[in-house]
Amino acid sequence: AIEMVESGGGSVQPGGSLRLSCVISGKTLSRYCMAWFRQAPGKEREGVAAISSDGSTDYADSVKGRFTISRDNAKNSLYLQMNNLKPEDIATYSCAAGILYDCFVDTSPYGFNYWGQGTQVTVSS
């Protein structure tokens, strides 16, 4: 069975940083589009960042210049470096993977086959 496990969430002050990790087991996902989604209480899930199998990246406007998505295919892992965190970044963050022709941040979440369970990010002074 394929398992995707996120880690690295937590609570930071505004302006702080966190690095989320997603480790995949059970399948090699080097050819998959991978992405980070987030969902805040009372809001719809939204794409935060996406990275294609060839390393092309795409970001939501709200996180451009602050977040960086990366992948290490040798370690079957996905990362999200989050800098200058703001209260509006508070959400549960989930990693996702799918075989997709279009690998963009606004790709529908329904196109992703595999999901992690999520990790909570809180930004508060």
Side-chain angles (χ1 to χ4, degrees):
I2 296 169
E3 188 175 26
M4 301 178 70
V5 180
E6 301 98 335
S7 62
S11 182
V12 296
Q13 293 185 339
S17 298
L18 287 171
R19 185 177 189 240
L20 305 184
S21 298
C22 175
V23 178
I24 301 96
S25 60
K27 190 176 183 67
T28 299
L29 299 184
S30 59
R31 298 177 64 184
Y32 280 61
C33 166
M34 301 190 73
W36 288 97
F37 287 82
R38 68 185 181 186
Q39 187 166 21
K43 295 186 177 181
E44 291 189 359
R45 182 166 49 190
E46 63 173 347
V48 175
I51 184 167
S52 67
S53 58
D54 66 1
S56 299
T57 58
D58 190 35
Y59 297 93
D61 287 343
S62 59
V63 306
K64 279 181 181 176
R66 300 189 298 122
F67 290 12
T68 302
I69 188 171
S70 61
R71 63 193 297 166
D72 186 334
N73 290 333
K75 295 182 178 180
N76 225 23
S77 296
L78 177 72
Y79 307 99
L80 185 68
Q81 177 66 44
M82 304 186 295
N83 298 328
N84 190 22
L85 282 160
K86 304 176 180 181
E88 50 263 43
D89 296 318
I90 294 173
T92 298
Y93 287 70
S94 300
C95 57
I99 291 287
L100 296 165
Y101 181 76
D102 294 319
C103 186
F104 300 110
V105 70
D106 59 357
T107 297
S108 170
Y110 295 104
F112 290 85
N113 306 94
Y114 307 111
W115 290 84
Q117 83 289 349
T119 185
Q120 180 66 37
V121 171
T122 301
V123 185
S124 174
S125 55

